Each structure stands twice: as C-alpha cells, then as structure tokens.
C-alpha cells in the first residue's frame, strides 16, 4: 500500500484502547480500503504497541468485523438523530432517515461497503445481522408510527422494505460515482423526499 504518514498521538492515554484502534482503522479504511493497511499501521496511528490489538481483536479480520458492527450502530444513531429534528411519524421524518443513510455512505464509503460485505464477515455474520436489525428497527418504528400501528407487523415490514432499498441503492450509486456521469442534475435530498412520498401509502 502507499504508506500513510502516521505519527504517534501526543498525550495518548490507553483508557480506551479498543475504541482508539477502531478509530485508527476506520481512518485507514477510508484512505486505503479494508485491504490496504495492516494491523501494524493501525497500531502506529493509534500510538500503541503492535501487540496491543490482540488484547481485543484476534486478527485483522476480527477488527474489520468490529468496525462494520460499529458502523451499523452509528448509522442507526445518525438516522434517529436526523429524524428527531422533524415531527415524528411523518413523511419528513422518514425522508430525514433516508438522507442520513445516504450521507453516511458518502461520508464513509469504504466503511459503508464493509458494513454490507457479507463475505468479509462470514464467520460473524449473525452478530452483524443483530446490529443491523437494531439500526433497521429505527426505520421500522418510524414507519409504524406513520401508519398508526402499535407494533412492528407485516404491514410495517412490507412498507419499510422499498424505502430501505431505495436509499440503499442510491447510496451505492453515489459512492460508485454513477451519479456524477448522469446527463441530468441530481438533487439527492429532494429525490429522497419525492421517493419517500411515493413509496409511503396515504394515511388518514
């Protein structure tokens, strides 16, 4: 890999070694991709010894799976935070979640890919599914509120799935650079609102 200039962090205290290593690896992932750095690189960026990661991660692949889980969790937090600025259970709050979803992908494209790369986490896929279900639950609860449903039922699931696929596909179009070569202007935020309005059924 083309080596990133890595400097030891001044004044670093090992109070959150696990968190520091995840943060360092996330930075390297965004610069070089998941395959473009080593555990040693992450250690140097975090300012710890090369033996330090193995107190928390059995391997680099284990670290990558933890980063994917962390990303899925942060995505749910972002969606909830964006929705909370709107009237809850509305088209606007659901569209806000979609905007947060695409914004996350554009801000951390390599981490986003890692989060949904099932082959990269084949031995820990159940763990990632559990975290992913938690993040997806943020959307499900908002849609249930919009529909006036007290629980997550089949109607909520059937309504939510097209909303997710729309922003998930849009996210990959954005990070793959496909939107940059279109022959018409693309307003992502406006497109998400329009799609949300069309995909949600009318309610009384």
């Amino acid at each position: 890999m083309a080596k990133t200039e890595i400097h030891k962090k001044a004044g670093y205290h090992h109070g959150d070694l696990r968190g520091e290593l995840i943060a360092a690896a996330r930075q390297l992932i965004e610069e070089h991709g998941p395959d473009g750095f080593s555990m040693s690189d992450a250690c140097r960026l975090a300012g710890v010894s090369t033996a330090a990661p193995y107190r928390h991660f059995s391997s680099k692949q284990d670290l990558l799976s933890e980063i994917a889980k962390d990303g899925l969790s942060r995505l749910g937090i972002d969606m909830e935070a964006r929705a909370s600025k709107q009237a809850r259970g509305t088209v606007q709050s659901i569209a806000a979640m979609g905007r947060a979803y695409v914004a996350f992908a554009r801000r951390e494209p390599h981490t986003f890919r890692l989060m949904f790369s099932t082959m990269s986490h084949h031995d820990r896929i159940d763990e990632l599914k559990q975290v992913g279900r938690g993040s997806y639950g943020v959307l499900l609860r908002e849609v249930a509120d919009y529909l006036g449903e007290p629980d997550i039922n089949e109607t909520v699931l059937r309504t939510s799935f097209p909303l997710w696929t729309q922003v998930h596909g849009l996210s990959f179009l954005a990070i793959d650079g496909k939107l940059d070569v279109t022959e018409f202007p693309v307003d992502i935020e406006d497109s998400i609102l329009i799609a949300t309005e069309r995909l949600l059924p009318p309610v009384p």
Side-chain angles (χ1 to χ4, degrees), residues 14-15 17 31 72 98 112 126 142 152 160 179 187 189 197:
H14 297 175
L17 174 60
E31 292 176 357
L72 287 165
F112 186 80
D126 288 340
E142 200 69 19
I152 307 301
S160 300
L179 299 180
D187 185 322
E189 297 217 345
E197 290 173 334

Side-chain angles (χ1 to χ4, degrees), residues 26 69-79 104 108 111:
R26 274 173 47 200
K69 286 172 59 179
D70 174 71
L72 287 165
S73 178
R74 289 186 295 112
L75 175 59
I77 291 169
D78 284 1
M79 291 165 62
F104 185 102
E108 301 183 43
T111 298

